[in-house]
Amino acid sequence: METLLDLSDRLYLDVLDFAHSTPHWFQWLAEVWTELGLLLFGALFLAGWWRSRTGASGAMAVAFLAPLATAFGYVVSEALKSLIDEERPCRAVAGAPAALIDCPAYGDWSFPSNHSAIAGAAAVALALSWRGIVWLTVPMAILMAFSRVFVGVHYPHDVTAGLLLGGLVAFLFMRAARRPMTALVETARSSRSAAVVWCAGRGPATPAHASARPERRSRARHGAY
């Protein structure tokens, strides 16, 4: 274990040295991304919900579950962080260059990375609810995790654990909650409240002539009077 931690220390120093060698505009982009990049996942949650309003109940269910699974991933990460009092590398690593952003206050522990856990959970949750988007969400999550080391506030093992933890928690949450959420969506779609139906969506549109076919067939079978 000590060997792995030593390797993480060296990688942290290498990444931070690289960060200080990049242009100021690139450092600025990294600082913006590490703080605001999670908002893009929020925008994707909204887009996923909107596109599922005309889809099957199961599709809307996983669209609803995606942000909830991400929030649960954060809760688990934060609970684990409170049990493992690992100091931030921006204070603990001797001889390290200054972090690009302010080092979090003492007591805001380092392991695991909450940003990375949220990103990992969001990437998996969105991939499960929106087919094909994994090619966007996974690189976004990895970039978020790397940015936390780049700006100097996390070790590489912090962000790796965060990504894996968030992704696993989101997967298990989505799998466990999909069936009851689907039943809830079906109930909401049959609600008399217009607001509830609007939020849950009306589901796939049914052609007007489709509902008339059973009636015509019934008349043909029993005869018209």
Side-chain angles (χ1 to χ4, degrees):
M1 179 61 69
E2 291 181 359
T3 301
L4 291 176
L5 294 178
D6 290 341
L7 176 60
S8 189
D9 282 359
R10 291 197 297 272
L11 287 174
Y12 171 78
L13 290 171
D14 288 342
V15 171
L16 201 51
D17 284 337
F18 168 70
H20 279 275
S21 71
T22 58
H24 289 296
W25 63 265
F26 190 84
Q27 295 177 18
W28 178 81
L29 285 177
E31 294 172 23
V32 171
W33 172 254
T34 201
E35 296 298 339
L36 302 179
L38 295 179
L39 294 178
L40 292 182
F41 284 109
L44 290 175
F45 288 142
L46 288 175
W49 160 75
W50 185 259
R51 69 188 293 273
S52 298
R53 293 176 71 252
T54 57
S57 296
M60 176 54 78
V62 291
F64 275 139
L65 287 174
L68 297 178
T70 301
F72 190 61
Y74 164 74
V75 170
V76 173
S77 175
E78 182 63 25
L80 184 59
K81 176 178 286 194
S82 67
L83 297 175
I84 304 176
D85 299 346
E86 180 188 75
E87 186 56 277
R88 295 276 181 168
C90 38
R91 273 190 296 270
V93 178
L100 299 185
I101 63 175
D102 293 337
C103 195
Y106 180 79
D108 185 353
W109 307 116
S110 191
F111 181 91
S113 164
N114 282 343
H115 279 71
S116 300
I118 294 171
V124 170
L126 283 165
L128 291 174
S129 63
W130 191 337
R131 182 174 298 178
I133 204 173
V134 64
W135 303 111
L136 174 62
T137 60
V138 168
M140 284 174 58
I142 293 174
L143 187 59
M144 172 57 67
F146 178 76
S147 74
R148 301 304 288 166
V149 182
F150 185 90
V151 299
V153 295
H154 275 293
Y155 293 101
H157 67 268
D158 295 338
V159 300
T160 302
L163 282 175
L164 296 176
L165 176 66
L168 177 61
V169 169
F171 175 79
L172 295 177
F173 183 92
M174 297 277 283
R175 185 168 184 176
R178 178 168 183 168
R179 183 172 295 179
M181 180 58 79
T182 299
L184 184 60
V185 169
E186 290 174 349
T187 300
R189 285 180 166 178
S190 61
S191 172
R192 295 182 178 180
S193 171
V196 172
V197 173
W198 184 84
C199 288
R202 297 186 179 278
T206 303
H209 60 80
S211 60
R213 287 176 181 173
E215 182 180 355
R216 288 200 297 267
R217 289 175 180 174
S218 178
R219 289 180 177 179
R221 185 181 299 114
H222 298 291
Y225 294 94

